[in-house]
């Protein structure tokens, strides 16, 4: 295979943004978390409780209804989960975990939640990247979307991404059918896991480092100081600048 550098897309969102988002909710509720353990506790909550909802509006509606039931004394109303931890000083503490666990991951599909300057959802960025590739490769690319990175391990992330991409693809096919009057062949969208999902970037880097021509593609320390940070935006391994 080969890399089509001109089709690489980047979004300024990552797991740390979910961490900051969840932390802001915990702080606004005044949760009794030791200040020195706030960041680590938030990371643990993110890794243990977060999930991607099937429909954010339905999820919020259900949460709001449960809040009303809870205040009306309904013992079955599920509003907050309990996180129990031990501080770095050895003291036990606990805090409530609420809507932030499904609102945080929503940033990949509604980025305006955390970044007012970025409004392109991840599914649209992926679709745009594939649409910029040679037309004869697109079907194979849609059917071979491989997840990479810790945030993609969030519960139901792959299902939500597949659902959103299917919607985008079907919209385009329906538009084509409306214009041409011909029914196009369906496009299969597959979003798959891999054994090295959490560390795929590092695994891929280690494979490149073992290549015989590795010395021809890396940037030296001297190169960095001579050209500055912009040197990281280009590498001979890509067919074009990043």
């Amino acid at each position: 295979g080969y890399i089509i550098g001109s089709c690489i897309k980047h979004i300024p969102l990552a797991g740390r943004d979910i961490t900051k988002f969840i932390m802001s909710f915990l702080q606004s509720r005044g949760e009794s978390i030791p200040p020195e353990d706030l960041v680590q506790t938030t990371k643990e909550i993110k890794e243990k409780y977060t999930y991607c909802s099937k429909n954010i509006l339905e999820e919020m509606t259900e949460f709001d209804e449960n809040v009303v039931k809870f205040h009306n004394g309904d013992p079955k109303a599920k509003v907050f989960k309990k996180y129990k931890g031990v501080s770095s000083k050895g003291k036990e503490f606990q805090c409530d975990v609420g809507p932030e666990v499904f609102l945080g991951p929503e940033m990949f599909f509604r980025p305006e939640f955390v970044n007012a300057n970025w409004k392109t959802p991840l599914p649209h960025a992926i679709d745009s990247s594939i649409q910029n590739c040679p037309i004869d490769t697109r079907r194979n690319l849609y059917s071979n979307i491989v997840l990479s990175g810790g945030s993609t391990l969030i519960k139901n992330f792959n299902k939500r991404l597949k659902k959103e991409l299917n919607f985008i693809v079907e919209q385009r096919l329906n538009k084509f059918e409306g214009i041409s009057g011909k029914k196009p062949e369906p496009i299969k969208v597959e979003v798959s896991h891999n054994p090295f999902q959490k560390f795929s970037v590092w695994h891929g880097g280690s494979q490149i480092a073992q290549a015989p021509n590795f010395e021809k593609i890396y940037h030296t320390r001297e190169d960095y100081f001579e050209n500055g940070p912009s040197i990281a935006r280009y590498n001979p391994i890509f067919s074009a600048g990043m």
Side-chain angles (χ1 to χ4, degrees):
Y2 59 93
I3 297 169
I4 308 175
S6 60
C7 296
I8 294 175
K9 301 292 181 182
H10 168 263
I11 62 172
L13 300 172
R16 62 179 176 274
D17 296 295
I18 299 179
T19 301
K20 291 178 182 177
F21 183 85
I22 294 175
M23 192 184 302
S24 68
F25 267 68
L26 296 174
Q27 290 176 313
S28 66
R29 285 203 303 270
E31 297 294 346
S32 56
I33 303 173
E36 65 273 16
D37 299 303
L38 180 59
V39 175
Q40 184 57 36
T41 298
T42 305
K43 288 181 178 179
E44 291 179 9
I45 289 173
K46 177 182 71 174
E47 294 173 1
K48 185 176 181 180
Y49 295 105
T50 55
Y51 64 93
C52 290
S53 62
K54 294 180 180 179
N55 185 305
I56 188 63
L57 295 178
E58 291 179 1
E59 196 80 33
M60 276 304 303
T61 300
E62 182 180 353
F63 178 81
D64 290 340
E65 290 175 350
N66 280 326
V67 170
V68 173
K69 291 178 182 178
F70 177 79
H71 287 300
N72 288 336
D74 187 346
K76 295 182 180 180
K78 297 179 180 179
V79 180
F80 293 103
K81 295 179 180 178
K82 288 289 184 182
Y83 170 86
K84 296 181 180 180
V86 179
S87 72
S88 54
K89 295 181 180 179
K91 295 183 179 180
E92 294 184 354
F93 69 93
Q94 65 178 25
C95 66
D96 289 332
V97 179
E100 58 271 17
V101 296
F102 61 81
L103 288 175
E106 192 67 19
M107 72 171 195
F108 290 116
F109 308 98
R110 296 174 186 264
E112 63 272 16
F113 275 26
V114 296
N115 190 334
N117 299 317
W118 185 261
K119 298 181 180 179
T120 304
L122 177 60
H124 286 270
I126 294 173
D127 178 69
S128 175
S129 178
I130 294 176
Q131 285 297 306
N132 285 331
C133 293
I135 192 169
D136 59 331
T137 66
R138 294 175 190 170
R139 286 183 178 274
N140 285 336
L141 291 172
Y142 278 115
S143 65
N144 190 34
I145 297 171
V146 180
L147 299 178
S148 168
S151 294
T152 64
L153 293 170
I154 292 174
K155 184 179 179 181
N156 296 331
F157 180 90
N158 62 320
K159 294 178 181 178
R160 176 69 182 278
L161 181 59
K162 181 177 179 178
K163 175 187 173 183
E164 299 282 347
L165 282 168
N166 265 319
F167 180 75
I168 295 171
V169 170
E170 287 174 6
Q171 273 193 321
R172 184 179 294 114
L173 293 178
N174 290 336
K175 185 176 181 180
F176 173 82
E177 183 178 0
I179 295 174
S180 66
K182 298 180 180 179
K183 189 172 183 64
E185 183 182 345
I187 294 177
K188 183 180 181 182
V189 176
E190 285 295 338
V191 179
S192 60
H193 296 281
N194 70 85
F196 305 100
Q197 191 166 324
K198 187 174 183 179
F199 306 106
S200 289
V201 174
W202 305 108
H203 178 71
S206 68
Q207 296 299 306
I208 293 175
Q210 296 179 54
N213 63 341
F214 178 61
E215 292 184 359
K216 297 179 181 179
I217 62 175
Y218 65 65
H219 298 305
T220 65
R221 184 171 184 271
E222 290 74 20
D223 292 335
Y224 178 84
F225 282 114
E226 181 179 346
N227 298 283
S230 62
I231 195 173
R233 287 313 215 177
Y234 177 81
N235 193 292
I237 195 173
F238 300 115
S239 58
M242 292 174 60

